[in-house]
Amino acid sequence: MIERYPFIDPGRVGLVGWSHGGMIALFNIFFHPEAYACAYAGEPVADLLERRKILEVDDPDDRRECR
């Protein structure tokens, strides 16, 4: 987008994401820190399996949530 829109200041680009988007924001800021001035991750998903809390029962199509 920086190349396409000349009015964007590359020194002021940031990311915002919530939940899965927060995880993506963190990945981007950690793996490409030179590309972003800042990032905000609201409740990022840190462990997808723990977050989902799904147990498979006898029938793999029949799933229930754990509480």
Side-chain angles (χ1 to χ4, degrees):
M1 289 187 70
I2 293 171
E3 296 83 15
R4 188 173 189 169
Y5 300 103
F7 58 85
I8 295 176
D9 180 355
R12 299 178 64 190
V13 175
L15 295 172
V16 175
W18 195 267
S19 189
H20 188 76
M23 183 178 70
I24 293 170
L26 288 177
F27 277 136
N28 276 284
I29 198 79
F30 290 146
F31 289 113
H32 307 285
E34 73 288 347
Y36 304 100
C38 65
Y40 174 78
E43 292 194 38
V45 177
D47 184 343
L48 291 174
L49 296 177
E50 181 64 25
R51 182 75 174 211
R52 290 291 309 230
K53 295 211 182 265
I54 296 224
L55 287 179
E56 287 191 27
V57 290
D58 294 335
D59 180 3
D61 292 329
D62 181 19
R63 297 177 179 205
R64 58 189 166 88
E65 286 191 32
C66 271
R67 298 254 183 232

